[in-house]
Amino acid sequence: MKHPFTRPAGSRTELLGLWATLAAVPVAALPHAWEQPGWVTAFVLGAWLWRAAIHAGNARIPAPWVMALLVLAGGALTLAEFGTLFGQQAGTALLLVMVALKLLEIRSRRDLVVTLFLAYFVVVTTYFFNQSIQIGAYSLVSAWLITAALIQVHGERRLAVTRLARTSGAMILHALPFMLIMFLLFPRVPGPIWGQPEPDRSAGQTGLSDRLEPGDIAQLLENEATALRVRFDGPVPPQSQQYWRALVMTAYDGRRWYADRNRPEIRPDDPEPADIGYTATLEPTRARYLPVLEYPVGLPGHAQLQDNLQVTTRNRVDSRLQYTASARLDDPPGWPLGADERARALALPAGAAPRARVQAGLWRATHGDDDAAIVQEALDLFAGDPYRYTLRPPPLQGDRTDAFLFETRAGYCEHYASALAVLMRAAGIPARVITGYQGGRWMDTGHYLRLRQADAHAWTEVWLEQRGWIRVDPTAAIAPERIETGLGGLFGDDADAPAFLRRSGLSWTAHWRLRLSDWHELLTFRWESLVLAFDPERQQELLARFGLDATDWRSVLLALATAFGGLAVVAGVVTWLRRPRGTRDMAQRALDRLSRRLDRQGLPRRPADETAQHYLDRVRREHPELAEPLSRFSEAYLHLRYAPLQLRERERYQAQLQQALREARPGGKHRSH
C-alpha cells in the first residue's frame, strides 16, 4: 500500500557503498561541530540516524513533499540564525544541512556519488574556520575515508575493508605530488580565496589589553599560549635588549593607564645593514597593535608607525599575521617634546599618590635640575630592601601607588612600571608606561624565538632633555635575572610558578606534557612558516630563483608544464623499473634455467611433446641422485603455476623453488630435507 509520508529505499545492490558513505560523512562534518550552532549538528546527526534506520529496514525514505518541507525548514533556520544564506558561516551551515538531507533521499548509486562529492566540499569548508596542522592531518583522514567510500560505491561486490583502505591510501599518496605542484606554482591570490575569515565578534581581545592596572600582567603569567614567534635574519640580539613594544600608555586616572589613540603617523627610518631584521608571526589578538622590537625602523607596508613609536595595522588582527620588520637597538632620536604632549606626560589626577609626591619632591630638592639623578634615585629605591618581585603580589588598598610604594612593597612588572611613572611625573619628569613582551624562549630545534602570553611585560619611558624618550625598566633594577634570562631564570625553582616555567620539582607527567607541547609548538611553527605563510610575495621569491616572473602567465605556464612533465618522467621511470621481467613468471624462469643447466649435461628437454612434469620425472629416473631436489622443485613449480595461493604460501613455495634450483646440479652434493 502506498504510504503518503514515505517511499521505499533503493535496492541494496545499488546501495552497496551506503555504509561506507555513512561512515565518511560524519567524519568530514565533525570539525564543524565546534564552529556551527548546535541545531546544525543536531540536524546532521538526526538525518544520519534516520538514514541508518532506513538502511536497516526500520524506516522508509521521506516522501518528496516531506523533503521539501525539510529543505525549507533548514533554509529558514539558517536565515534566522545568520540573517543570510551566503558567507562563510551561513554558507557552510546551509551546505551541512543540504548534505544531511541528501542522506535521506539516497536511492541510487548516483545519489551516493553526489553525497560523497558534497562531503569533499564539507572538508574544504573546514579551512574557513581553522587552518591548523591538526586540521590539515584530519582533512587527509576525511579525504581518505570519502575516497574509500567512492571505491566501494563503484565496486561490483562488497570489498574487504583492508583493500578499501589500501587502495584509497595509495590514491591519496599518488595525488600528493600534484597537490604540491599546484600549491607551489598555481598563481596565489592575496588572502584566502573566499576572503578573510569572518571574525568572531563575541570573542574579546586576547593577551595585552589597552588598559593596565597593577595585577593585569601578573594574571597573564599563567597563560602559556604562544603570542609571537620570531625568526631573526642574522645574529640574535642579547635577551636583555629584546623589548617587543606593543602599546604606549600616557593617560592615567590614578588607577589605570590607557593606551594612546589616534596618534600622528610618522615615516620610519630606512633600514641599515647593521639593523636587526626579523620575521614575526603574531597570533590573533583582536586588536590593531603589532609588537615590534625597539626601536622600529623598517616596517611592513600595511603597518603604521605613530609618533610615540607604537606600530599599528589598519585592520584588527583577527587571524594569524606574519610580518617582516627591522629594529635598531640604539635609543631613538631625541625628538623635541611638544607642550601638549609634555602636559599629557606630566598629568596626575588631583589628590593621587600624595606620599609619592612628597618622596618625589624630596628627590627634586636634593638633585635640582638633574633629572637623570632622580631617575636613578627611584631605581635605587626599588633595588633595595624591602622591595621584592613576586608572582603573587598582595592586594592594594586605597591609593594603589602609595599602597605599593610604602606598604606592600611587593609586586610584578606593572606595579613597578606604574609606580615609577607616577614618581617621575610627581618630580616633573614626563613619563609613560609601555606594555609588550620581553624575554621568551629560544627554540634550538626550530631556530626561532617563542614568546608566550606569560612573557608580557611593562616598563617605563621617561623624557630627558637632549636625549628624548628613554626606556627605564625598574624590573631590571629589582630582578635583573628576569630581563637577562627570562621568566625561567627568575622562577625556575619557584614551586608557585607555572609548570612550563619551572626547571625542577616536576612530575614525570608534567615533564612529558611539556615535551609534547614543545614538539607541537615546533610542528605548528613549521606549518605556519612553510604552508600558511606561503603568500604571493613568497611565491614570487621562489619563482625568481629560477628566473621566472610569478606575475607573467607565460612563466607560470612554463613552470607548471616543466613540473608536470618532470613528474610524468619520474612516473615513467618508476613504471619501467617495476615492469615484469619478461613475460614468464618466476616458476617458468626457474624451469628454463634448470633446463639449460641439464641440457649442458646431456639432458635436453623435448619441447614438442614433453611437459615440465614429464621432463623432471625423466631426469629423476636417469639421475637418481637428483630425485629429492627435483621432487621439491616439481612440487613448488606446480603450486606456483596452477594453485591459488595466499601470500605466505606463495613466499614459501618461491623459497622452496629457489632452494631446489640451487641443489639440482648433476654431479653435485645434495642436502636431505
Side-chain angles (χ1 to χ4, degrees):
M1 184 180 77
K2 185 176 180 180
H3 197 285
F5 299 102
T6 61
R7 294 174 290 168
S11 70
R12 289 187 170 273
T13 303
E14 186 77 2
L15 303 181
L16 197 57
L18 182 59
W19 282 118
T21 302
L22 289 178
V25 168
V27 173
L30 181 61
H32 292 286
W34 284 267
E35 307 294 343
Q36 294 294 336
W39 67 264
V40 176
T41 303
F43 203 102
V44 174
L45 179 60
W48 188 92
L49 291 174
W50 194 347
R51 180 70 240 191
I54 294 171
H55 197 56
N58 299 322
R60 288 161 59 94
I61 289 181
W65 68 270
V66 176
M67 289 296 300
L69 288 179
L70 291 174
V71 170
L72 291 175
L77 285 171
T78 304
L79 191 61
E81 179 74 31
F82 302 103
T84 179
L85 297 178
F86 305 100
Q88 296 171 2
Q89 194 86 23
T92 303
L94 191 60
L95 174 63
L96 290 167
V97 168
M98 294 302 117
V99 170
L101 294 179
K102 187 63 184 176
L103 285 175
L104 294 180
E105 68 167 10
I106 291 176
R107 293 171 55 86
S108 65
R109 181 176 296 172
R110 174 185 171 279
D111 292 333
L112 285 171
V113 173
V114 171
T115 304
L116 290 171
F117 273 95
L118 288 175
Y120 279 124
F121 279 101
V122 171
V123 174
V124 172
T125 56
T126 307
Y127 291 93
F128 288 165
F129 313 101
N130 192 332
Q131 299 179 357
S132 66
I133 189 172
Q134 294 92 329
I135 287 296
Y138 190 88
S139 298
L140 286 178
V141 173
S142 299
W144 174 60
L145 287 175
I146 296 171
T147 305
L150 272 177
I151 295 171
Q152 179 58 80
V153 167
H154 290 286
E156 297 299 328
R157 56 185 174 84
R158 189 174 299 282
L159 301 176
V161 174
T162 53
R163 180 178 176 182
L164 288 174
R166 188 170 58 249
T167 306
S168 177
M171 293 179 71
I172 295 291
L173 287 176
H174 289 162
L176 288 180
F178 294 90
M179 182 182 70
L180 181 62
I181 290 174
M182 296 299 289
F183 173 78
L184 293 175
L185 301 179
F186 192 80
R188 305 185 74 81
V189 296
I193 295 177
W194 295 273
Q196 293 289 338
E198 293 176 352
D200 183 2
R201 299 297 178 188
S202 62
Q205 181 173 332
T206 59
L208 299 172
S209 169
D210 58 358
R211 298 180 181 184
L212 176 72
E213 63 178 303
D216 286 351
I217 291 185
Q219 293 177 357
L220 290 175
L221 190 64
E222 304 286 345
N223 191 342
E224 61 178 310
T226 299
L228 186 70
R229 299 180 181 90
V230 182
R231 182 188 289 277
F232 293 97
D233 297 340
V236 180
Q239 186 160 330
S240 60
Q241 297 184 349
Q242 292 178 20
Y243 282 83
W244 298 90
R245 185 188 193 93
L247 293 164
V248 179
M249 301 182 172
T250 304
Y252 178 61
D253 64 1
R255 180 184 178 92
R256 299 185 183 89
W257 293 86
Y258 298 89
D260 294 350
R261 296 179 181 273
N262 303 319
R263 300 297 305 172
E265 183 178 349
I266 62 173
R267 183 179 179 279
D269 294 344
D270 293 328
E272 297 178 357
D275 294 336
I276 305 295
Y278 60 90
T279 300
T281 304
L282 177 65
E283 293 296 312
T285 61
R286 299 180 180 86
R288 293 181 56 224
Y289 66 81
L290 294 183
V292 292
L293 190 63
E294 291 187 327
Y295 86 93
V297 282
L299 294 174
H302 56 81
Q304 300 167 329
L305 178 64
Q306 301 176 357
D307 66 346
N308 58 4
L309 297 184
Q310 177 178 318
V311 177
T312 60
T313 186
R314 296 183 180 90
N315 300 312
R316 208 174 73 159
V317 182
D318 289 316
S319 59
R320 192 173 291 105
L321 177 66
Q322 188 173 79
Y323 52 95
T324 301
S326 300
R328 198 164 295 160
L329 299 183
D330 301 333
D331 290 333
W335 295 306
L337 189 64
D340 293 341
E341 188 60 24
R342 176 184 289 274
R344 290 184 67 240
L346 287 173
L348 282 177
R355 299 175 67 182
R357 292 173 189 260
V358 173
Q359 180 64 63
L362 293 174
W363 288 339
R364 175 59 73 187
T366 302
H367 297 286
D369 296 335
D370 191 350
D371 290 349
I374 295 175
V375 173
Q376 190 59 49
E377 282 278 10
L379 295 179
D380 292 342
L381 174 69
F382 293 148
D385 290 332
Y387 289 95
R388 58 190 176 93
Y389 203 74
T390 178
L391 288 171
R392 304 284 183 266
L396 302 175
Q397 304 295 332
D399 186 279
R400 296 197 166 201
T401 301
D402 282 355
F404 165 69
L405 285 174
F406 304 106
E407 296 175 13
T408 65
R409 296 182 175 90
Y412 203 54
C413 61
E414 69 270 29
H415 293 78
Y416 289 93
S418 175
L420 178 62
V422 172
L423 284 169
M424 293 302 101
R425 290 189 178 191
I429 303 174
R432 60 193 183 190
V433 173
I434 315 297
T435 61
Y437 298 92
Q438 202 281 333
R441 181 184 176 190
W442 180 253
M443 307 297 288
D444 287 325
T445 307
H447 300 288
Y448 68 97
L449 178 68
R450 178 191 183 189
L451 290 150
R452 294 184 171 97
Q453 295 294 351
D455 294 308
H457 188 54
W459 61 94
T460 311
E461 282 185 345
V462 299
W463 192 86
L464 301 179
E465 291 290 345
Q466 309 301 323
R467 297 184 61 184
W469 287 105
I470 303 298
R471 179 178 66 231
V472 180
D473 188 356
T475 299
I478 187 171
E481 60 271 31
R482 162 68 179 88
I483 305 303
E484 295 170 359
T485 61
L487 291 170
L490 181 62
F491 300 121
D493 299 322
D494 192 331
D496 291 335
F500 65 92
L501 295 178
R502 290 160 55 187
R503 297 174 176 173
S504 59
L506 294 175
S507 63
W508 68 270
T509 54
H511 175 74
W512 277 101
R513 186 187 72 80
L514 293 176
R515 291 195 64 176
L516 291 175
S517 175
D518 286 346
W519 278 107
H520 176 262
E521 162 63 25
L522 177 62
L523 289 175
T524 301
F525 174 71
R526 295 296 190 195
W527 173 260
E528 292 176 355
S529 58
L530 297 178
V531 179
L532 300 185
F534 192 73
D535 53 17
E537 289 74 19
R538 292 178 183 262
Q539 186 182 47
Q540 290 178 16
E541 294 174 1
L542 174 66
L543 293 182
R545 296 178 184 176
F546 300 95
L548 300 174
D549 181 5
T551 61
D552 185 351
W553 65 270
R554 289 166 296 190
S555 292
V556 174
L557 192 61
L558 176 62
L560 287 171
T562 303
F564 282 118
L567 185 62
V569 170
V570 171
V573 170
V574 172
T575 303
W576 182 80
L577 292 176
R578 298 182 62 182
R579 74 190 189 285
R581 305 294 182 179
T583 57
R584 301 164 301 176
D585 59 22
M586 176 188 175
Q588 184 61 47
R589 291 198 302 273
L591 178 62
D592 291 346
R593 186 176 174 186
L594 178 64
S595 300
R596 289 194 298 271
R597 181 188 301 166
L598 295 175
D599 185 42
R600 289 193 294 271
Q601 300 298 323
L603 297 168
R605 183 180 175 187
R606 300 167 190 155
D609 57 352
E610 192 173 42
T611 65
Q613 186 63 36
H614 290 157
Y615 175 52
L616 295 175
D617 289 343
R618 179 166 61 85
V619 174
R620 279 201 296 266
R621 289 194 299 271
E622 296 182 13
H623 289 268
E625 75 278 9
L626 297 179
E628 184 178 345
L630 289 182
S631 295
R632 286 187 279 111
F633 186 95
S634 177
E635 180 191 26
Y637 175 84
L638 293 176
H639 278 86
L640 288 171
R641 290 300 306 273
Y642 305 113
L645 300 174
Q646 298 295 326
L647 177 61
R648 291 191 174 182
E649 291 178 314
R650 177 173 296 279
E651 292 175 348
R652 180 167 63 82
Y653 281 117
Q654 287 176 344
Q656 176 178 325
L657 188 76
Q658 294 297 329
Q659 180 69 22
L661 179 62
R662 286 193 294 271
E663 296 177 0
R665 296 178 183 276
K669 296 181 179 179
H670 315 293
R671 290 186 304 164
S672 296
H673 293 266

